[in-house]
Amino acid sequence: MASYMFRRLLQSLPLMLGISMISFFVMYLAPGGPTDLMMDPKVKPEDRERMMEALGLNLPPWLQYLRWLIHFLQGDWGISFIRKVQVSDLIWQRLPQTLVLMGSAFLLAALLAVPIGVLIARKKNTWIDYTSTFFAFLGLATPNFWLGILLIMGFSVYLNFLPAGGITSYFDGGGIGDRLQHLLLPAVTLAMADIASLTRYTRSSMLEVLGQQYMTTARAKGLGEWMVIYKHGLRNGLIPIVTVFGLSLSSFFGGAVIIEKIFSYPGIGSLFLDAVFQRDYPVIMAITMISAVLVVLGNLLADILYAVLDPRIEYK
């Protein structure tokens, strides 16, 4: 297993390099630039040239990329054009908040989607199945930014039950209860689409498993229905779902970009969106590479869970 993981990480290096190249040059081709936002339009051209030289933006694009890559591999993520601080400091300040949000949404999706998927698989072609299917498709079709606004209007504006944004209340000490209240709405918004999709995947997978002969044999041996479903059936039914769970890491990160902005949540997602509007290239590149790493780790985690769920799978 260790050698397999090492080979997979080595194989991901060209992928990471390709992602960094495409991201850098696409960003460079975008109209506008940081100097357009940092300087008044009436500034003299020679002053603008001096600013671009100070930021290294006067160099050819390929040389700018090479300089960025060398510094990035050395652990130097650059200095933010707008905030004038180390990008690594900005990332580490915001990363814990985003990880908490992603972890909460991921846990919420897993705890709700799998049991609901198993239930509707057992109740196939009943009103429970049809109702769950309706709400699953509704969850898939609902844009998360629109759902977030609806939740704010309902629970924050009209009911005044939950806070509309931030991570703590101004007059509160920032205790665990206060943080959970601020986390609930963005976590539910971020998890909703994945709950819907994972419910459908679980249902389809369990329907295939429930018809297998070993399930009938387990019942014939006198095992209880709970033991048959959750020990024998679910373990095999989860194998294809693991892939979806692994890929969900990147989808959670991508969804956090919009969700954090809607709920004024100070995480990496809102930082990335601000950096895009401000043409803050070092921040954009750092967060893009973090997202790429999450995709690679998600796939690797899925492979590991395959072997955990099915001992017959061996990686050499």
Side-chain angles (χ1 to χ4, degrees), residues 46 130 150 217 290:
E46 53 268 25
Y130 298 141
L150 285 182
T217 303
I290 291 176

Side-chain angles (χ1 to χ4, degrees), residues 24-25 59-67:
F24 189 91
F25 290 108
L59 300 174
W62 66 270
L63 187 55
Q64 290 185 43
Y65 171 75
L66 189 59
R67 288 182 59 184

Side-chain angles (χ1 to χ4, degrees), residues 25-37 276-279 281:
F25 290 108
V26 168
M27 180 181 63
Y28 184 88
L29 293 174
T35 56
D36 298 332
L37 300 173
V276 170
F277 287 129
Q278 297 168 348
R279 307 296 194 272
Y281 297 160

Side-chain angles (χ1 to χ4, degrees), residues 6 12 16 89 98 128 156 160 195 231-232 287 290 311 316:
F6 181 72
S12 66
M16 302 290 290
D89 293 339
T98 297
I128 296 178
S156 300
N160 196 24
I195 291 174
K231 184 175 181 180
H232 295 274
I287 298 179
I290 291 176
K316 299 180 180 180

